[in-house]
Amino acid sequence: MKRVLVFAFLFCMVLLVRSGQGYRLTDNLYFAIPNDTIGCIDVILPGDSGFMGMGEYEYILTCSSNWSDLTEQIIRTDENNTVRIPICFSGFGRADGDCSPPFTIGISSANLGIKNEWNGGVCISKYPDFDIVDETAEDEDDVRDILDGNFDLFDIGFSLERMYSEPDESVIYSLLVESYASLTIDLNAKTGLSVTPTSETVYTSSFYPFHTIYFTVQAPSQSGEYAFDVEARVRNCEGIFCSKTARGTLVVNESLPEIGFSAYLFPKSINVKNLEPVLYTLTIQNHGKAKIFSIRIDIDPVTTTDFEWRDDVIVFEDSKETINFTVTPDKVSSLYEIGVTVIYEGLEKKASASLSTNEMLTDAMRDADSIKNSNSNLAGDVNSALDDWYNSYKNSDYGADLDDYTTLKDNFADLRNQTDGAGPPGPYIPGEPGTDGEDQEGMGWLWIVLIIIIIVVVVIILVIFFKKSKKTEETEEEYF
């Protein structure tokens, strides 16, 4: 009977608990997870410290969030030992709409003179989300506003974020731009370095979503680390989703790295409206002698990709290799987590990305729920505004509907100013009848009852099976 109870308990756990998802350490990373789940940020040392030299050193890893399972940890490692430390944020016991205070993850090493920090935040929501933005949140409300107000209309990034050069050397940065919306995007270089060109314009659409722009940067004569940023802004567009910045670092030194490798995945976060193939670029940067790498991919939830697991990726001395592949989502209003692992002689480097479908809708629904949770009397006005926008959105071309989306967000902002703390009415889905608070509450109880029934049925079946098995054993004993 004990075996039956243990099995039933495990079955319940499978039904009610989902495992955590891992993101790569990135500055200004904000994500939303459902309650009773865990979301993790993977820190990999020594790679994330930025140190590309040789030798064993001590690193101090810190996290300021009271939602996380790590406050401070000391790690000692070298270039031949990759250490992965997941910092996990728990949604257990938290309610839909809760947001953490902004957190800071720090990596420091006194011996190496390293002190780097990354900012972010996390919220609880039935609509998972992942955003990398240009701004830093000041409080919990800012974390919520960033996740509700930003969707990944496009992405921009360097194929190699960290470049190395000798003094006075010319370095070419490859800037990648991708969007499946019809957009005009203006690019402007932001740096104190000499760079050509200083500005550029690209045009994207579902037929021509991907562009590469080359910037030539003149390294200064003085050794050190120099920032090189390119700001991208969608023309005739308002909102935090209309701009992004690609951030690069130029490390100038007389001696270049002799060992190590890095992996970059682009785009890091992008949204599509239609279920179409999305192009990804994996760039492996190799320092020192030629190496043969293995590459692996993991997508959650599983969907179609033409990525090939390989053990024969050759990257020559002090060079890079680019591998293109596609991921095709198969569900609307979903978030796909994509993780690529690059391996060399047991050393691993991981790069992660997110692919969302219909994020304009899921962000709008999360925003709407937040307002109604603050004041149930506004449910009718919120649902009406959401329905009006959705009726236009579902028939529009991606990129042609930005003004309507901005208007919806402005209407929500006006309604939010009217909140007075009345109780929540329950979730609402635009375009579907019978989704007021009372109906949803009833459906919630139905789901709970259904789960209980399933568990009881499984337990009964197992008890019957156990009794039959026991009876069979007794019968066998009679014959022997």
Side-chain angles (χ1 to χ4, degrees):
M1 191 64 185
K2 289 182 179 179
R3 287 183 294 177
V4 174
L5 294 175
V6 170
F7 188 89
F9 174 76
L10 293 175
F11 180 80
C12 297
M13 294 301 291
V14 170
L15 280 175
L16 301 176
V17 180
R18 284 167 287 183
S19 60
Q21 189 58 243
Y23 303 108
R24 281 293 289 116
L25 182 63
T26 305
D27 195 26
N28 289 335
L29 186 159
Y30 299 85
F31 60 98
I33 58 174
N35 57 1
D36 295 338
T37 64
I38 295 172
C40 302
I41 296 177
D42 289 339
V43 179
I44 297 178
L45 290 172
D48 285 337
S49 71
F51 178 63
M52 297 293 290
M54 300 174 64
E56 183 178 279
Y57 293 94
E58 186 175 273
Y59 302 88
I60 300 176
L61 175 63
T62 59
C63 181
S64 65
S65 178
N66 59 359
W67 285 37
S68 76
D69 61 353
L70 184 147
T71 302
E72 180 176 306
Q73 184 173 336
I74 298 175
I75 301 98
R76 191 170 186 85
T77 188
D78 58 31
E79 70 279 3
N80 295 316
N81 294 282
T82 299
V83 180
R84 171 182 168 270
I85 308 98
I87 301 177
C88 295
F89 300 79
S90 173
F92 287 89
R94 307 190 193 278
D96 190 57
D98 288 351
C99 293
S100 74
F103 60 76
T104 299
I105 295 174
I107 298 176
S108 62
S109 173
N111 291 336
L112 296 172
I114 292 172
K115 188 175 183 180
N116 298 321
E117 292 184 340
W118 294 261
N119 300 301
V122 57
C123 287
I124 305 301
S125 172
K126 66 175 68 69
Y127 312 109
D129 200 359
F130 174 93
D131 290 310
I132 300 171
V133 299
D134 292 343
E135 53 191 275
T136 301
E138 298 292 335
D139 53 30
E140 293 94 326
D141 289 337
D142 281 354
V143 174
R144 182 180 298 105
D145 290 344
I146 287 172
L147 284 167
D148 291 349
N150 184 76
F151 76 96
D152 297 303
L153 178 63
F154 72 100
D155 203 6
I156 177 175
F158 296 110
S159 62
L160 300 177
E161 296 173 0
R162 195 174 183 88
M163 298 279 283
Y164 298 84
S165 77
E166 297 177 351
D168 298 316
E169 183 183 10
S170 292
V171 177
I172 297 177
Y173 277 86
S174 298
L175 180 73
L176 311 179
V177 182
E178 189 166 354
S179 178
Y180 292 79
S182 298
L183 304 174
T184 301
I185 304 176
D186 295 316
L187 308 172
N188 290 283
K190 304 289 184 180
T191 179
L193 304 173
S194 174
V195 56
T196 304
T198 58
S199 62
E200 191 65 82
T201 299
V202 297
Y203 306 91
T204 64
S205 69
S206 60
F207 301 104
Y208 194 18
F210 183 80
H211 297 264
T212 303
I213 299 92
Y214 300 98
F215 289 87
T216 302
V217 178
Q218 182 68 33
S221 56
Q222 189 74 23
S223 296
E225 292 192 3
Y226 299 86
F228 173 49
D229 296 350
V230 175
E231 181 186 74
R233 180 169 293 276
V234 177
R235 193 176 295 178
N236 301 321
C237 180
E238 296 181 4
I240 64 173
F241 54 84
C242 300
S243 64
K244 278 189 177 183
T245 300
R247 292 193 163 89
T249 301
L250 177 61
V251 181
V252 180
N253 205 314
E254 293 286 352
S255 58
L256 301 180
E258 298 179 359
I259 58 167
F261 65 97
S262 302
Y264 300 95
L265 186 60
F266 178 86
K268 286 186 176 180
S269 56
I270 197 165
N271 175 71
V272 294
K273 186 174 181 178
N274 301 315
L275 302 181
E276 56 192 333
V278 176
L279 177 66
Y280 282 85
T281 300
L282 170 66
T283 304
I284 303 173
Q285 182 185 32
N286 178 44
H287 302 290
K289 66 178 183 179
K291 301 178 180 67
I292 300 177
F293 296 94
S294 299
I295 56 175
R296 305 285 186 264
I297 192 170
D298 177 64
I299 305 176
D300 185 22
V302 176
T303 191
T304 304
T305 180
D306 59 7
F307 183 99
E308 295 182 7
W309 284 36
R310 294 173 55 186
D311 297 313
D312 60 351
V313 180
I314 301 174
V315 185
F316 295 105
E317 182 176 356
D318 296 326
S319 64
K320 67 177 182 178
E321 181 69 17
T322 299
I323 299 168
N324 295 322
F325 63 95
T326 62
V327 175
T328 305
D330 59 4
K331 295 178 182 178
V332 298
S333 303
S334 297
L335 179 69
Y336 296 85
E337 303 299 339
I338 303 165
V340 173
T341 304
V342 179
I343 308 165
Y344 170 71
E345 293 186 351
L347 301 178
E348 296 185 357
K349 294 294 176 73
K350 295 180 180 291
S352 65
S354 72
L355 168 60
S356 58
T357 59
N358 248 9
E359 189 182 355
M360 294 176 77
L361 174 60
T362 53
D363 281 2
M365 291 171 68
R366 186 188 308 109
D367 201 2
D369 284 353
S370 175
I371 298 170
K372 292 184 291 185
N373 286 339
S374 298
N375 187 345
S376 61
N377 297 325
L378 296 175
D381 292 335
V382 172
N383 295 343
S384 177
L386 192 57
D387 272 338
D388 288 345
W389 167 78
Y390 181 71
N391 289 332
S392 171
Y393 163 78
K394 63 184 180 181
N395 297 315
S396 63
D397 293 331
Y398 191 29
D401 44 15
L402 300 181
D403 287 343
D404 289 342
Y405 193 68
T406 300
T407 300
L408 173 68
K409 289 296 185 175
D410 289 341
N411 290 338
F412 278 177
D414 292 339
L415 289 168
R416 191 181 296 278
N417 291 333
Q418 301 176 34
T419 58
D420 59 9
Y428 173 78
I429 301 174
E432 293 188 11
T435 52
D436 56 23
E438 184 177 351
D439 290 345
Q440 285 296 314
E441 183 178 0
M443 288 300 294
W445 280 107
L446 284 175
W447 277 110
I448 294 173
V449 172
L450 180 60
I451 291 174
I452 293 173
I453 291 173
I454 292 173
I455 294 172
V456 171
V457 170
V458 170
V459 172
I460 291 173
I461 292 172
L462 291 172
V463 169
I464 293 173
F465 175 80
F466 178 78
K467 287 182 176 179
K468 286 184 176 180
S469 176
K470 185 175 182 181
K471 187 174 181 179
T472 302
E473 291 175 2
E474 291 173 351
T475 303
E476 290 175 351
E477 290 176 0
E478 291 177 2
Y479 286 97
F480 295 93

